[in-house]
Structure formats: C-alpha cells, structure tokens
Amino acid sequence: MATGLVDSKLARLTVDVTSSSARLALHNAPLNVIDIPMMEELAQLLAEIESRADISVIVLSGEGKSFSAGVDAAAHTPENVETMLHKFHAAIRALIATKKVTIAAVHGHCLGGGAELAMVCDMVYTTPSSQWGFPEIKLGCYPPVACTALAALVGQKRAAELILTGRTISGSKAAEIGLANHAVPEEKLQSAVDNTVQELLRLSPAALAVTKKAFYAWDAMHFDKALARAEKIYFDELMKTADAQEGVRAFMDKRQPKWTGK
C-alpha cells in the first residue's frame, strides 16, 4: 500500500503507489456506486497525490465486476443533491486540474458519474464489452459534466444522442467515437495500461506537467465556467421540476416514473 497516503482511513477506495504511479480503485461492491464518502475520499486522495513529487501518473479503475454504475441515486434527492454535486464536482475538478497524467481502466458498467470520472481522464482504456452511458435523463435529470465536456470528446451530435436518449453503448463503440482511446480484451486491459504507464514513466515529470497545462489551456478557460452554469441550472431549474423528483423516487422505488411535464 501507499506510504504517506491516507490508505488506512479509506473505505471507498484502495490505493497503491509503485514506481512513481498511483493506482486508485473504486471500492464499493457490487457496482462501485459513487456515494458521498467516495467523493470525499477521492478529492482528498487526489490532493495528497498532487503534493507528491515522486508520483507522475494516476491510474483509476474499479474493483470487482465494474468500473462504476454511477452516482448513488439517493444522493439526487432534493435534500442531498446540492451537497452531492458540489462534492462530486470537487473530485472531477481535481482530476482535471492535476498535473499528473491520468489513465482510466474501464470494465463492466461505466455509467453516469462513473462515465464522467473516466471521460475527464487524459487517456482511457476500456474492454469491448463494457457498458458506457449517461442514463440520467431516464431519472428526469442530466449529467452536468457530460453536458459541459462530452461534445468536445465525441462531437456535438453524438454527445446529444447519448445525453438526450440515455442510451448505453459498448466499450468498442466508446473507443470508436473517441470516448476511449482503445478497446482491448479484458484479459489484456491491465497490460495495456501498464505498457502506457511504463512509457510515461520514462519521460520527464516536469515536461509532462507543463505539457498538460499547455494542452488543456483552451478547455480549462471554459470548463469551469460552463460547469458552474450547468450546476446553477441544475439547482435553480431542474430540481424545481416535479419530474426530476419523480424520476429519482421512481428509480429508488424500482418502478416506472409517471411524468407530468412539470
């Protein structure tokens, strides 16, 4: 386990630091649902890693059978949603702002907030059979990070299709449209990630950090403002609709929602 990191206090993540890389795994069986404790741990751990000069690469994965099935539905209720979005977006912003190179290794379900975590990493490796999607619209909600940044990755029309229909696509399709770099067989996923990590570790950490800053300069100027606007619309408009509240309740009650258009 990682020396100097808060691994002994982690309940929702596992962490291992070897050869200048930090490997973080989402740990919340069975589908690694992202709850508020996981959001807090991820933001805290990323802040600690950022201060470590000996770490230049971060690998994010999921334990068990999935990367992550998304953010906990209970956190979308009116009394919890503002806290949830602030904490989740703090983790997203930390992933985007880090000077370390980030790689997501995706298998199984990669949905909603899980897909948002993966998509903001610098590189993504996925299994062909993994299931990607942003199903929030089926709960009467929307994914703020995907609304902000997905079009830059896959194009406006594809992003609109994924977000507005909530459709699920395979890992092969995710790689085809640019949501992932490569789709590799599950038994080769770890070695594909390891090969890229080793390639990165032969390079200058300082050069990688500065190059990331230059590479994302344009996006960084707009992402924060756009995400803040998406958050405001979510709080001020979406969560005041009866349909958003009905969608979350219906999901938690395991029934079909009854939309009123209000």
Side-chain angles (χ1 to χ4, degrees), residues 159-210:
E161 182 178 15
L162 287 170
I163 292 169
L164 296 178
T165 67
R167 288 177 186 163
T168 300
I169 61 172
S170 68
S172 294
K173 186 66 175 180
E176 179 186 325
I177 67 176
L179 194 48
N181 293 77
H182 302 284
V184 296
E186 186 156 1
E187 66 272 16
K188 297 182 178 178
L189 180 63
Q190 189 62 56
S191 61
V193 171
D194 289 345
N195 289 340
T196 298
V197 169
Q198 291 308 310
E199 197 172 350
L200 290 165
L201 294 182
R202 288 193 290 268
L203 303 173
S204 159
L208 287 171
V210 174

Side-chain angles (χ1 to χ4, degrees), residues 10-13 24 26-28 32-47 60 68 70-76 80-95 112-114 116-117 136:
L10 297 174
R12 291 289 189 263
L13 295 168
L24 316 183
L26 308 181
H27 172 69
N28 190 15
N32 295 321
V33 165
I34 304 166
D35 56 12
I36 288 176
M38 183 185 288
M39 298 171 195
E40 293 173 338
E41 288 182 10
L42 184 56
Q44 180 185 9
L45 194 53
L46 288 170
L60 186 64
S68 173
V71 173
D72 184 12
H76 288 78
N80 294 323
V81 68
E82 190 164 357
T83 296
M84 179 274 288
L85 276 189
H86 284 157
K87 289 184 180 293
F88 182 57
H89 290 169
I92 290 286
R93 287 183 168 100
L95 265 178
E116 290 181 316
L117 278 180
E136 284 86 346

Side-chain angles (χ1 to χ4, degrees), residues 126-178:
T126 183
T127 60
S129 61
S130 61
Q131 296 295 300
W132 286 75
F134 304 91
E136 284 86 346
I137 196 70
K138 296 179 180 180
L139 276 68
C141 301
Y142 65 79
V145 175
C147 284
T148 300
L150 184 60
L153 295 175
V154 304
Q156 189 180 68
K157 299 304 182 188
R158 285 177 174 142
E161 182 178 15
L162 287 170
I163 292 169
L164 296 178
T165 67
R167 288 177 186 163
T168 300
I169 61 172
S170 68
S172 294
K173 186 66 175 180
E176 179 186 325
I177 67 176

Side-chain angles (χ1 to χ4, degrees), residues 60 67 104 106 110 113-124 132:
L60 186 64
F67 181 79
V106 173
C110 185
E116 290 181 316
L117 278 180
M119 66 175 265
V120 301
C121 290
D122 298 314
M123 288 174 260
V124 179
W132 286 75

Side-chain angles (χ1 to χ4, degrees), residues 16-23 54-59 197 201:
D16 186 32
V17 176
T18 54
S19 302
S20 300
S21 64
R23 295 171 186 264
D54 60 313
I55 299 173
S56 56
V57 179
I58 299 171
V59 177
V197 169
L201 294 182

